[in-house]
Structures are given as structure tokens and as C-alpha cells.
């Protein structure tokens, strides 16, 4: 891994991605070989926003490598409540840990924080910006189920505020992928993301309906409408519940599509999909552990070299 900080999927080359995914596959094949790779390594957790999967799978990952976490805990019990700045907080916590994982509601916050620390900082979500480690586990799951080359993927839901979408779309430009984006008009990809994808020569199409393209997809990546990022609740209500899939639609139109979702879901994937072969989203969440183990292993290996 040539990067000390992991801020955006834009930094990740195809070789970087493959290095992480290959290491994750080795870990999946032989977890016991990795249990004492980094004894005593400490990962600093700074979560300024809710998290279940990202925080817990990073915790599981470092513990399985022989290390541990130092966790700031809920923001309301930290010195942030006393008015401490983000820059001061990260400067303090870098003295307690070998690497930091940070999630924050402001876009650009991970980049800013990384400028104040010497230990590697991993962006675990910066507002509507980026979520690069989610992308690594998404790519791992896509590679296992459909392969990453000659891929036709539909990415549906909140493309405006969904940071997992922004990261995944960038990362897929390293592969031979056709990307279909499906959303209401008001939640289309931000202009800046679309611009970057065009600059990378990506093949992208935008749609407001899923039905016409569903039969052509290898993978359908569904996302939650990011309610917490809407400036106005009425705007959220205008689009909530608009894009929903169920088992019947999938079976009738495309019986071999793999359905992924970064989770948590609200109502965009009916629970009747869970028992079908399409549903790989719980497997996807579980892949967070080997993939984050692989990333940490490579980063910490680089640190001690
Ligand atoms: C995502 C996030 O936080 O961006 N969750 C996750 O990390 N798996 C997706 C979401 O909250 O909708």
C-alpha cells in the first residue's frame, strides 16, 4: 500500500485494490495464519456519526490481527462537547494509536484531519463525500459473485448523498464496468462525481426507472435514502419509498442478478428478497472483517518496514 492515509477511492489504483482483495482472500482461506500478525497494534476509533458495521468490523479486524482499539466513544461523552476542535482531537489521539479510523458528518473532514497527523488515517465516511473501505468490501463481494471485468452494474437509490456510491463509482473506473445509475431526478449523482467519472473514461448511463435495464444487470447495488443529509424533511418525504425491489420483480425480470446493499436498509429491499439467491448483502457485511483485516495488515506492515 503506497498510501499512508486512505481518504478517497480516487487514490486507489487497480493494483492497490487487487492487493487488498487478494490479501482478504488469503485471510478468508486461512484466518488462523493471521491471528498474531500485529500483536499490540492499536487502532484509534473516532466516530462522530452512528455506525454498526464499519466500527464493529474494524474492531473485529484489528482484534483478529492480534491488536486492539482505543475508542473515543460517543461524541456526547468526549471533549468535543467542551468545544475541542477536530484538529486538536486527532492530534491528541494519534499519540494513543498506530492508525486512526474516523467517521464525521462533514464532507472533506477526513482530508483535513489527515493533515494534522503522522499515523495513517482511514476515512470511514465523511458526510456525503467518500467511504473507501466500504468500497473495498463491495468490490470483494462483487468479485466473488460476478467478477470485476465485463461487469454491468446498476447503482440505485440516493446517488446524491450516498458516499458509498461516490466511492464505488470511482473505484469501478479501474475495471471494465458499465455503470447504470438509477434514482429520482432530485437524487442524481452530484455534478462533480459525474465529471470525475467522465474524466476517467467511465461508461455511465443515468435513469429514473429500474425496469428497462434490470434484465441487463449482473449486480444491483441498492442504497438507502440518506434521510439525515436532507436540509429539509419535506424533500426527504417526497422521495422516500420510491425505489423498492422485491423477490417477484427480480425473479421475473432477471433471475441471476446479485443484489448488494451497504446496509442499513430501510424499506428499499423487501424482506422476501433475503431468502433468495440474489441476496448477498449480509455476506457483503461479513466481508467487512477480512477486507479490513487485509487493509490494516498491509498498512501496518508498511508502517513497521
Ligand atoms: C453506509 C454509510 O455509513 O455510508 N453504511 C455503512 O457503512 N455500511 C451506508 C448508509 O448509511 O446508508
Amino acid at each position: 500500500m503506497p498510501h499512508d492515509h486512505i481518504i478517497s477511492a480516487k487514490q486507489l489504483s487497480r493494483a492497490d485494490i487487487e492487493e487488498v482483495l487478494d490479501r482478504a482472500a488469503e485471510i478468508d482461506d486461512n484466518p488462523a495464519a493471521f491471528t498474531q500478525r500485529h500483536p499490540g497494534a492499536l487502532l484509534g476509533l473516532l466516530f462522530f456519526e452512528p455506525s454498526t458495521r464499519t466500527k464493529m468490523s474494524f474492531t473485529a479486524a484489528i482484534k483478529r490481527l492480534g491488536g486492539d482499539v482505543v475508542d473515543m466513544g460517543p461524541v456526547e461523552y468526549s471533549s468535543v462537547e467542551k468545544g475541542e476542535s477536530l484538529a486538536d482531537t486527532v492530534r491528541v489521539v494519534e499519540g494513543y494509536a498506530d492508525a486512526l479510523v474516523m467517521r464525521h458528518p462533514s464532507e472533506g473532514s477526513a482530508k483535513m484531519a489527515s493533515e494534522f497527523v503522522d499515523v495513517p488515517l482511514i476515512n470511514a465516511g465523511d458526510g456525503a463525500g467518500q467511504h473507501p473501505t466500504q468500497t473495498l468490501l463491495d468490490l470483494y463481494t462483487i468479485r466473488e459473485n460476478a467478477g470485476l471485468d465485463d461487469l454491468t452494474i446498476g447503482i440505485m437509490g440516493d446517488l446524491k448523498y450516498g458516499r458509498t456510491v461516490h466511492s464505488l463509482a470511482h473505484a469501478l473506473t479501474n475495471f471494465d464496468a458499465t455503470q447504470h445509475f438509477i434514482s429520482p431526478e432530485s437524487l442524481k449523482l452530484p455534478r462533480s462525481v459525474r465529471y470525475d467519472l467522465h474524466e476517467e473514461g467511465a461508461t455511465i448511463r443515468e435513469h429514473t426507472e429500474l425496469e428497462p435495464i434490470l434484465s441487463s444487470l449482473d449486480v444491483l447495488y441498492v442504497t438507502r435514502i440518506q434521510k439525515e443529509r436532507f436540509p429539509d424533511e419535506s424533500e426527504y418525504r417526497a422521495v422516500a419509498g420510491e425505489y423498492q425491489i422485491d423477490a417477484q420483480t427480480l425473479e421475473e425480470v432477471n433471475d441471476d442478478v446479485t443484489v448488494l446493499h451497504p446496509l442499513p436498509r430501510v424499506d428499499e429491499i423487501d424482506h422476501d428478497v433475503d431468502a433468495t439467491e440474489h441476496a448477498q448483502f449480509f455476506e457483503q457485511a461479513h466481508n467487512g472483517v477480512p477486507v479490513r483485516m487485509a487493509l490494516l495488515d498491509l498498512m501496518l506492515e508498511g508502517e513497521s518496514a
Side-chain angles (χ1 to χ4, degrees):
M1 271 274 124
H3 316 288
D4 17 279
H5 303 303
I6 307 283
I7 305 300
S8 163
K10 285 194 233 178
Q11 326 162 217
L12 301 173
S13 67
R14 181 173 177 137
D16 293 334
I17 293 167
E18 285 176 342
E19 189 181 21
V20 177
L21 304 199
D22 290 348
R23 182 67 58 95
E26 280 176 52
I27 293 170
D28 252 342
D29 284 347
N30 187 7
F34 289 84
T35 50
Q36 282 307 313
R37 289 280 279 207
H38 300 282
L42 286 179
L43 192 60
L45 301 179
L46 295 144
F47 280 74
F48 297 85
E49 265 195 347
S51 173
T52 302
R53 276 149 289 275
T54 306
K55 187 169 171 178
M56 293 186 76
S57 63
F58 264 117
T59 304
I62 191 70
K63 290 192 175 189
R64 289 200 185 277
L65 291 169
D68 209 340
V69 293
V70 275
D71 182 359
M72 181 182 79
V75 184
E76 57 271 33
Y77 296 124
S78 74
S79 285
V80 174
E81 277 295 291
K82 301 179 189 170
E84 186 164 53
S85 70
L86 181 59
D88 281 1
T89 303
V90 293
R91 268 187 290 199
V92 168
V93 180
E94 81 160 328
Y96 306 154
D98 302 297
L100 303 179
V101 178
M102 188 182 101
R103 169 172 288 186
H104 195 280
S106 308
E107 195 168 333
S109 54
K111 172 91 183 74
M112 188 281 271
S114 73
E115 283 160 11
F116 290 91
V117 296
D118 290 325
V119 300
L121 184 141
I122 300 171
N123 179 11
D126 60 325
Q130 288 272 318
H131 192 353
T133 66
Q134 176 68 41
T135 291
L136 290 168
L137 72 95
D138 294 342
L139 294 174
Y140 185 76
T141 315
I142 294 170
R143 189 169 83 166
E144 290 213 314
N145 284 279
L148 279 165
D149 277 311
D150 196 19
L151 173 75
T152 304
I153 185 170
I155 303 182
M156 181 170 89
D158 188 344
L159 312 179
K160 180 178 181 183
Y161 297 116
R163 55 197 175 196
T164 70
V165 171
H166 304 158
S167 287
L168 179 61
H170 279 294
L172 284 170
T173 65
N174 289 294
F175 300 91
D176 173 20
T178 301
Q179 305 190 54
H180 292 278
F181 294 99
I182 309 109
S183 72
E185 206 48 53
S186 63
L187 295 179
K188 282 169 71 172
L189 282 179
R191 196 189 299 246
S192 61
V193 174
R194 196 179 309 116
Y195 176 84
D196 285 345
L197 295 178
H198 280 303
E199 287 286 287
E200 294 298 326
T203 310
I204 68 166
R205 305 271 179 277
E206 295 180 281
H207 313 266
T208 50
E209 300 292 332
L210 172 66
E211 270 65 30
I213 51 138
L214 179 55
S215 64
S216 71
L217 304 180
D218 303 309
V219 172
L220 176 61
Y221 186 95
V222 184
T223 64
R224 173 180 72 89
I225 309 282
Q226 308 279 298
K227 182 178 182 188
E228 68 276 27
R229 309 224 186 275
F230 281 67
D232 180 344
E233 168 118 23
S234 65
E235 280 179 43
Y236 168 74
R237 280 199 303 273
V239 288
E242 260 200 53
Y243 288 78
Q244 291 173 334
I245 57 160
D246 61 24
Q248 198 188 345
T249 333
L250 298 173
E251 243 107 271
E252 277 172 10
V253 185
N254 181 349
D255 62 9
D256 57 19
V257 64
T258 296
V259 176
L260 301 181
H261 190 306
L263 302 177
R265 78 174 137 181
V266 181
D267 55 6
E268 53 280 354
I269 300 180
D270 194 284
H271 288 265
D272 70 0
V273 176
D274 300 10
T276 69
E277 293 202 340
H278 306 290
Q280 290 297 323
F281 30 91
F282 290 110
E283 194 54 38
Q284 181 185 2
H286 296 159
N287 287 338
V289 177
V291 171
R292 291 184 166 116
M293 280 176 80
L295 179 68
L296 292 171
D297 185 34
L298 291 163
M299 289 177 92
L300 294 168
E301 195 173 79
E303 282 287 281
S304 55

